[in-house]
Amino acid sequence: MTTERIVGIGAGAKELATEDMTLNIGPQHPSTHGVLRLRLALDGERISSAEPIIGYMHRGAEKLFEVRDFRQIIVLANRHDWLSAFSNELGVVLAVERMLGMEVPERATWARTLLAELNRVLNHLMFLGSYPLEVGAITPIFYAFREREHLQRVMEEISGGRMHYMFNRVGGLKEELPAGWTHRAREAVADVRSRMSDIADLIMGNEIFRARTRGVGVLTEEQILQYGVSGPIARASGVDFDLRRDEPYLAYGDLDVRVVTRAEGDCLARFECLLDQVYASLDLADACLDRLVDLPPGPINQRLPKVLKVPEGHTYAWTENPLGINGYYLVSRGEKTPWRMKLRSASFNNIQVLSELLPGTLVADMIAILGSMFFVVGDIDK
């Protein structure tokens, strides 16, 4: 049995009661990853209500889609979740290709799947390093960035970009894979896999980390479904859903996609899902590399007309991005620009559940909970 006392000292103290205080966490607070703002009502050290306030980074991406042609909108989609740039591009090109009735070369399909999984590992490594930093562990981020550099090197070689790859094109990929690139990619995957135990052992064996995260910030399956939470956060609460397996796209239908889940739904479970997902994605990357090596030489993209116009109609293309479900609702009126492009980003839905998750928790636990939501602010504000 735990007894909690709230004690006031000084001129502002009340004899028998405490007074609620409003506390703003952010924008530009270290725990909010930039320009997210949380308005908390506190009863002592305990949160009585929480309101996420967004929009500080809003740049009107959905409206900008409407004045760019179908080649140019890829650069806008690339940026809202800057840790998942390649995966962001996929949803757009898949939507346009579906409306055009275009079949992408097999070589491009397998290369896209490979690059999407490498991008997933890059995303997860960032959070595997930064989340322990939220609760006071400095060392893991150096290990995470060491492994990220191995994969960044092969991604940069193939695309020329370190964050915003811009390698997808309507009809395939920008260009053929460089000579010997698959061999270097395989070496990078093997190197990262061999050293992931450094990160896992350092963090998962830490008593302080486990004490700060186990049983903290528990999300129920019902809350997940009510708020449309997806990705590793949802799977950590037992929601066994992954578009790569359940509604396959690209080459995922020909792969054995291992979906990582947990039942506890707390901060520790969310971190464990992210860690195990790295191993699952590295296995998928190896399978894609095996298939790419066996494929005969062939085109990596389709030839497009100088002015690309999409037939009148609409479609919704969704993909399993590293942070959750990412969807694009595309409406065309037969012109060279979209009439409407609506973005359903993973972080936007995931962060809304904070208003229900945070009340009743302590301020100190709020930092651990917020970090375990694995969000990118640009993916919230769009």
Side-chain angles (χ1 to χ4, degrees), residues 312-376:
E312 187 171 352
H314 60 90
T315 191
Y316 180 70
W318 58 350
T319 55
E320 187 68 42
N321 265 33
L323 299 181
I325 294 174
N326 187 75
Y328 295 99
Y329 178 60
L330 170 62
V331 183
S332 173
R333 290 190 169 177
E335 301 297 332
K336 66 177 183 178
T337 61
W339 184 75
R340 185 77 175 92
M341 178 76 93
K342 173 66 178 173
L343 169 60
R344 188 268 189 221
S345 61
S347 296
F348 179 82
N349 280 66
N350 291 356
I351 212 69
Q352 306 307 317
V353 77
L354 286 173
S355 59
E356 190 166 326
L357 178 60
L358 288 177
T361 63
L362 296 171
V363 174
D365 288 337
M366 182 273 297
I367 305 296
I369 294 169
L370 196 59
S372 74
M373 298 306 287
F374 310 132
F375 61 88
V376 171

Side-chain angles (χ1 to χ4, degrees), residues 1 3-4 19 35-36 140 152 237 283 297 341 348:
M1 179 174 160
T3 303
E4 182 182 340
E19 192 174 88
V35 288
L36 172 69
Q152 286 281 29
S237 296
D283 291 341
M341 178 76 93
F348 179 82

Side-chain angles (χ1 to χ4, degrees), residues 225-369:
L225 299 176
Q226 285 178 338
Y227 282 84
V229 176
S230 59
I233 299 171
R235 293 191 284 272
S237 296
V239 178
D240 188 7
F241 179 74
D242 190 310
L243 287 174
R244 296 172 297 168
R245 180 198 64 191
D246 301 326
E247 288 195 22
Y249 56 97
L250 296 181
Y252 289 115
D254 297 323
L255 293 169
D256 180 17
V257 179
R258 179 167 68 92
V259 179
V260 178
T261 61
R262 291 289 187 277
E264 296 83 2
D266 57 10
C267 293
L268 183 60
R270 292 192 278 274
F271 187 85
E272 289 176 342
C273 272
L274 213 64
L275 182 63
D276 286 352
Q277 180 61 62
V278 169
Y279 292 104
S281 291
L282 291 173
D283 291 341
L284 289 174
D286 271 337
C288 291
L289 284 164
D290 291 340
R291 186 60 182 268
L292 275 171
V293 170
D294 293 339
L295 285 177
I300 199 96
N301 51 37
Q302 294 275 25
R303 292 182 64 87
L304 298 176
K306 188 173 181 180
V307 178
L308 180 63
K309 292 187 177 182
V310 170
E312 187 171 352
H314 60 90
T315 191
Y316 180 70
W318 58 350
T319 55
E320 187 68 42
N321 265 33
L323 299 181
I325 294 174
N326 187 75
Y328 295 99
Y329 178 60
L330 170 62
V331 183
S332 173
R333 290 190 169 177
E335 301 297 332
K336 66 177 183 178
T337 61
W339 184 75
R340 185 77 175 92
M341 178 76 93
K342 173 66 178 173
L343 169 60
R344 188 268 189 221
S345 61
S347 296
F348 179 82
N349 280 66
N350 291 356
I351 212 69
Q352 306 307 317
V353 77
L354 286 173
S355 59
E356 190 166 326
L357 178 60
L358 288 177
T361 63
L362 296 171
V363 174
D365 288 337
M366 182 273 297
I367 305 296
I369 294 169

Side-chain angles (χ1 to χ4, degrees), residues 85-262:
F86 187 87
S87 302
N88 296 343
E89 301 169 13
L90 273 176
V92 168
V93 295
L94 290 174
V96 176
E97 288 161 3
R98 183 183 299 168
M99 292 188 69
L100 289 169
M102 180 181 290
E103 188 171 340
V104 175
E106 185 179 16
R107 191 169 181 79
T109 298
W110 281 98
R112 279 177 172 178
T113 310
L114 166 62
L115 294 170
E117 290 308 310
L118 294 180
N119 192 196
R120 192 180 310 275
V121 175
L122 283 168
N123 175 289
H124 291 356
L125 281 170
M126 173 62 80
F127 287 108
L128 289 173
S130 66
Y131 181 50
L133 199 62
E134 310 278 2
V135 292
I138 298 174
T139 308
I141 199 164
F142 297 109
Y143 285 88
F145 265 82
R146 180 189 66 183
E147 304 316 314
R148 274 176 57 86
E149 279 304 312
H150 285 283
L151 297 179
Q152 286 281 29
R153 195 172 297 120
V154 295
M155 294 292 280
E156 185 176 3
E157 179 187 356
I158 197 173
S159 68
R162 285 181 60 84
M163 286 186 69
H164 306 301
Y165 305 110
M166 275 305 296
F167 198 58
N168 275 290
R169 295 293 185 273
V170 175
L173 294 172
K174 177 186 174 186
E175 56 198 9
E176 181 55 86
L177 313 180
W181 182 86
T182 53
H183 175 69
R184 292 186 289 278
R186 192 183 297 278
E187 286 184 337
V189 169
D191 286 344
V192 172
R193 183 187 284 108
S194 69
R195 288 199 289 261
M196 280 303 297
S197 59
D198 293 347
I199 301 175
D201 294 345
L202 184 67
I203 304 171
M204 300 311 297
N206 187 290
E207 294 179 7
I208 298 174
F209 180 81
R210 299 183 77 87
R212 289 291 307 274
T213 56
R214 187 194 286 120
V216 174
V218 176
L219 266 176
T220 66
E221 185 174 345
E222 183 183 3
Q223 289 172 324
I224 295 287
L225 299 176
Q226 285 178 338
Y227 282 84
V229 176
S230 59
I233 299 171
R235 293 191 284 272
S237 296
V239 178
D240 188 7
F241 179 74
D242 190 310
L243 287 174
R244 296 172 297 168
R245 180 198 64 191
D246 301 326
E247 288 195 22
Y249 56 97
L250 296 181
Y252 289 115
D254 297 323
L255 293 169
D256 180 17
V257 179
R258 179 167 68 92
V259 179
V260 178
T261 61
R262 291 289 187 277

